[in-house]
Amino acid sequence: MSSTEATNKAPAVPEKNSSKPTRDEPVLQVERRDFIDLVPEKRPRAQSLRGFDDCYTDIVDYIVRCTHKIWDERDVGLIYTHYTHNCVLYNALGTLYNREQVVQDTLQRLIAFPERRGMATQVIWNGNDVDGFYTSHLVTGSGRHTQFSHLGKPTNRTFVTRTVADCMIHENKIYREWVVSDNMSMMKQLGLDTDEVAFNMAKEQFDKGFRVTDIGENGRMLGQYPPDVACDVSIAHTDTEEQLLRWLHEIYNRRMLGKIKEIYAPNVQWHGPLMKELYGTAAVTHQTLALIGMIPDGAWLPQHICSNPCDEGGVKVAVRWIIEGHHLGYGELGKPTGERLFVMGMSHYHIINGKIVDEWVVYDHLALLAQIKLGQMEDA
């Protein structure tokens, strides 16, 4: 198949299995499309969506449209028809366990930033309407801090930040969601004291009785054994996903950072935490080393992976991952404290001709700082 054909429609049969259904029309992609084209009014349904509201034409339309309605049009009540009553929402510091908590949390966030707008950057997905869908939705948010809220007095400053929301969806309802935002970047842009904000976040958890569980050995190296040479690729659905998991295992668990110059294109663009926009393999190596060096005993573990052929050529892949370890190295969080750290991260990759040409990485330094302060409260 030519590159032109590959970008015009998704393959009917994936590389390894047939978990994705066949379809006559391509599912929408965020690239190259204006917002009104992502939420069309007269587009016929292009994908089987049993149990979904009639306004949705495919799974990308669903996640972009309902997110916009809830957050930008302020139709918060749609959560009652788009989330199950017992939904679970995981974020970097805390978990919500029912729909009403999601409603209340959404309202509180909208209070602080009534001018906020969330622009879909890309949606990577897999699944079908029988087994359920999985979407990884990268959003670029912007706004202004104009109202008194949990962050205190308004600063009237503007911000731009990135968020990734991974959702499991069945018959119009999200029943599980993982959300990671670059909150440290937002707090710095607003001119807030990040130590104070992180302390308040930790104090809220501490007062509820939450404590840090130090896990000791985390699985990357057990006893005196070296890291596993081979990685577990059982969560992959395609050959490309398998290869990416092997690459990431080499870099993060085996510490083979020299691989970066082999698997990334020389002109790669890296879109990272703290809203960094960097170019080239040397920048990717430095930023990857910064994360690993901050948690030098950290074990990197992928939790989900999915991919789609891209209108721009190549394939886009979404990986949800965690790192567990201890704050034993210098970096963005300052002097090492020895406290246990849990990183929840989301990464989107654009791969063309076997090389990564773009990488978007979202994890939250503010949540990590709050974890350190929570551990210190317990120590005290």
Side-chain angles (χ1 to χ4, degrees):
M1 179 182 291
S2 69
S3 59
T4 302
E5 291 172 330
T7 57
N8 285 337
K9 66 178 184 177
V13 181
E15 295 169 64
K16 279 186 60 182
N17 60 41
S18 56
S19 62
K20 292 182 182 179
T22 59
R23 48 189 180 268
D24 296 325
E25 297 182 29
V27 173
L28 289 170
Q29 292 192 10
V30 175
E31 294 85 7
R32 306 182 184 184
R33 287 183 169 87
D34 192 21
F35 174 75
I36 58 174
D37 299 317
L38 293 173
V39 290
E41 294 300 323
K42 297 181 180 180
R43 180 178 186 246
R45 181 161 282 186
Q47 185 180 31
S48 178
L49 293 177
R50 184 189 64 179
F52 282 74
D53 288 352
D54 292 339
C55 63
Y56 302 122
T57 62
D58 61 38
I59 193 60
V60 174
D61 178 353
Y62 168 86
I63 202 67
V64 172
R65 190 190 297 262
C66 75
T67 301
H68 176 82
K69 284 179 174 291
I70 291 169
W71 286 95
D72 291 358
E73 296 185 11
R74 315 306 191 224
D75 286 336
V76 180
L78 279 181
I79 292 173
Y80 291 110
T81 58
H82 286 66
Y83 285 74
T84 60
H85 75 286
N86 59 349
C87 64
V88 181
L89 189 154
Y90 306 92
N91 58 44
L93 191 72
T95 304
L96 306 181
Y97 288 99
N98 60 68
R99 182 169 56 201
E100 193 58 33
Q101 284 184 305
V102 175
V103 171
Q104 294 174 12
D105 183 71
T106 304
L107 289 170
Q108 291 304 310
R109 294 180 187 278
L110 287 174
I111 287 172
F113 310 112
E115 299 176 15
R116 178 195 175 277
R117 291 292 179 265
M119 296 167 288
T121 303
Q122 56 200 21
V123 177
I124 303 172
W125 64 276
N126 66 6
N128 55 65
D129 63 349
V130 176
D131 303 316
F133 290 100
Y134 188 103
T135 61
S136 187
H137 183 193
L138 173 61
V139 177
T140 303
S142 62
R144 193 161 60 97
H145 183 208
T146 60
Q147 300 295 317
F148 189 89
S149 67
H150 63 290
L151 298 174
K153 293 170 57 178
T155 63
N156 291 312
R157 293 191 180 188
T158 60
F159 67 89
V160 178
T161 189
R162 280 187 280 262
T163 297
V164 180
D166 279 22
C167 295
M168 298 179 74
I169 309 155
H170 187 250
E171 294 190 354
N172 208 74
K173 287 187 171 61
I174 296 166
Y175 62 93
R176 195 166 298 165
E177 183 174 11
W178 294 261
V179 180
V180 179
S181 298
D182 189 1
N183 289 311
M184 180 68 89
S185 174
M186 180 192 293
M187 297 306 116
K188 288 188 174 185
Q189 292 174 62
L190 297 181
L192 299 177
D193 184 333
T194 54
D195 277 300
E196 181 181 353
V197 174
F199 177 87
N200 292 336
M201 292 168 60
K203 187 67 164 57
E204 181 179 356
Q205 297 295 315
F206 189 82
D207 290 344
K208 292 178 180 178
F210 290 103
R211 299 296 183 268
V212 174
T213 301
D214 199 324
I215 55 175
E217 285 189 316
N218 58 29
R220 189 181 79 87
M221 296 174 62
L222 296 178
Q224 299 180 56
Y225 292 96
D228 290 336
V229 173
C231 67
D232 182 0
V233 295
S234 60
I235 64 173
H237 308 91
T238 70
D239 296 337
T240 298
E241 292 175 13
E242 280 192 10
Q243 185 60 67
L244 180 60
L245 290 177
R246 292 191 180 98
W247 286 343
L248 297 175
H249 176 78
E250 284 286 304
I251 293 169
Y252 285 97
N253 287 329
R254 299 195 65 228
R255 312 303 199 226
M256 302 293 285
L257 275 75
K259 286 281 184 183
I260 288 174
K261 65 179 179 294
E262 298 178 18
I263 64 180
Y264 285 78
N267 61 344
V268 60
Q269 185 169 359
W270 189 85
H271 321 261
L274 306 177
M275 293 305 292
K276 292 179 181 177
E277 298 286 348
L278 303 174
Y279 299 87
T281 55
V284 175
T285 301
H286 181 271
Q287 297 302 311
T288 306
L289 183 59
L291 174 58
I292 295 174
M294 189 167 59
I295 315 173
D297 67 338
W300 182 87
L301 179 67
Q303 295 189 309
H304 188 272
I305 187 168
C306 58
S307 62
N308 301 126
C310 178
D311 283 346
E312 298 172 319
V315 178
K316 286 198 172 176
V317 189
V319 183
R320 174 167 55 86
W321 50 269
I322 61 172
I323 291 178
E324 290 186 300
H326 297 83
H327 184 214
L328 300 175
Y330 285 89
E332 183 65 33
L333 301 178
K335 183 180 178 180
T337 62
E339 298 293 346
R340 185 257 184 178
L341 289 178
F342 171 84
V343 186
M344 180 192 298
M346 316 279 202
S347 299
H348 284 194
Y349 299 89
H350 189 185
I351 301 174
I352 297 178
N353 296 328
K355 297 281 188 179
I356 298 171
V357 298
D358 269 292
E359 179 180 2
W360 294 261
V361 187
V362 181
Y363 59 87
D364 188 9
H365 287 94
L366 186 67
L368 299 179
L369 186 58
Q371 290 177 38
I372 289 173
K373 295 188 179 300
L374 179 60
Q376 292 172 334
M377 290 178 187
E378 184 176 0
D379 296 340

